[in-house]
């Protein structure tokens, strides 16, 4: 006759192991999806606690790497902008929402691991943007002119959401792309 005490212990141990395996599988799925999450950018929340004194121009933020992004139209460089590189989930979520202004020739470049449909919002933004959706081949897929949210708007309303297919997304001052680049043009920087 089997020992009931050891049989019960064996069953309890088996349940614990199964639960741990399930938790590990779920964690792996969540973490793998974490990198592909396309968070709606422009959040005002200070996720990482590092937004003190970061509300001026890009030059005051020493913690983020920048890239010199060339805007190319008809095969010719028409302008070069200095753009903060945004690659982490916190940087992507926060975007430019913690800034009061964006000077001419400044921007932010969002860098993703793959080309996918992206949605950007104007959450708590203090100024308008041109949102440039760029494919993996560095060509401009689309440009959206996103106005500053009106008083009483959060910036997350449907009419404040901008969609495009992109591996890279470049944000520039509102109407900055006019007479510079358009769809079918391209960009160039160290990663592209």
């Amino acid at each position: 006759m089997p020992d009931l005490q050891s049989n019960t212990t064996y069953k309890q141990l088996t349940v614990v192991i199964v639960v741990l395996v399930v938790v590990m599988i779920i964690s792996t799925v969540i973490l793998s999806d974490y990198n592909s999450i396309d968070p709606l950018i422009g959040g005002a929340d200070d996720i990482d606690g590092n937004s003190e004194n970061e509300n001026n121009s890009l030059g005051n933020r020493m913690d983020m790497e920048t890239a010199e992004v060339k805007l190319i139209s008809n095969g010719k460089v028409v302008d070069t902008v200095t753009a903060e590189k945004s690659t982490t989930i916190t940087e992507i979520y926060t975007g430019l929402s913690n800034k009061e202004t964006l000077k001419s020739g400044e921007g932010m470049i969002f860098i993703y691991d793959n080309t996918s449909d992206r949605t950007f919002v104007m959450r708590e933004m203090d100024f308008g943007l041109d949102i440039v959706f760029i494919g993996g081949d560095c060509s401009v897929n689309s440009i959206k002119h996103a106005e500053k949210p009106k008083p009483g708007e959060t910036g997350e309303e449907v009419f404040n959401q901008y969609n495009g297919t992109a591996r890279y997304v470049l944000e520039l001052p509102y109407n900055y792309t006019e007479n510079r680049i358009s769809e079918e043009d391209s960009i160039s920087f160290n990663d592209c």
Side-chain angles (χ1 to χ4, degrees):
M1 180 166 211
D3 178 11
L4 291 178
Q5 179 66 26
S6 63
N7 193 18
T8 301
T9 303
Y10 176 77
K11 286 181 180 178
Q12 290 172 339
L13 183 59
T14 303
V15 168
V16 168
I17 290 171
V18 168
V19 168
L20 286 174
V21 168
V22 169
V23 168
M24 288 175 57
I25 290 170
I26 291 171
S27 297
T28 302
V29 168
I30 289 171
L31 289 176
S32 69
D33 285 345
Y34 182 76
N35 287 330
S36 65
I37 292 173
D38 186 20
L40 302 176
I41 63 109
D45 298 329
D46 180 18
I47 295 171
D48 61 4
N50 292 326
S51 68
E52 281 185 34
N53 301 320
E54 294 180 321
N55 57 0
N56 295 320
S57 71
L58 298 181
N60 291 339
R61 290 193 52 185
M62 304 305 274
D63 58 332
M64 289 186 75
E65 185 180 349
T66 60
E68 296 301 312
V69 180
K70 293 177 175 59
L71 308 181
I72 302 168
S73 181
N74 296 319
K76 296 179 184 173
V77 175
V78 295
D79 200 357
T80 302
V81 296
T82 302
E84 286 186 4
K85 285 182 165 185
S86 180
T87 57
T88 69
I89 195 81
T90 300
E91 292 166 350
I92 290 170
Y93 182 84
T94 303
L96 292 167
S97 67
N98 59 356
K99 300 201 176 307
E100 293 175 3
T101 62
L102 186 62
K103 294 179 183 175
S104 180
E106 291 183 341
M108 179 171 277
I109 185 93
F110 298 83
I111 302 169
Y112 296 93
D113 292 333
N114 57 28
T115 301
S116 186
D117 292 336
R118 311 277 177 209
T119 299
F120 278 49
V121 299
M122 296 295 288
R123 184 184 308 114
E124 303 292 330
M125 290 296 295
D126 289 329
F127 49 90
L129 295 170
D130 278 1
I131 304 172
V132 184
F133 294 91
I134 303 153
D137 63 352
C138 302
S139 64
V140 175
N141 291 334
S142 63
I143 299 173
K144 309 293 181 172
H145 303 286
E147 292 184 6
K148 169 186 169 181
K150 293 177 178 45
E153 295 177 355
T154 65
E156 295 183 75
E157 296 83 3
V158 172
F159 51 83
N160 281 315
Q161 295 180 12
Y162 300 88
N163 303 307
T165 302
R167 169 141 191 231
Y168 309 100
V169 178
L170 178 63
E171 291 184 337
L172 298 167
Y174 187 75
N175 279 336
Y176 191 83
T177 58
E178 292 296 316
N179 301 316
R180 286 186 172 91
I181 60 169
S182 58
E183 288 182 21
E184 309 281 325
D185 285 333
S186 61
I187 66 156
S188 174
F189 70 107
N190 287 347
D191 296 346
C192 185

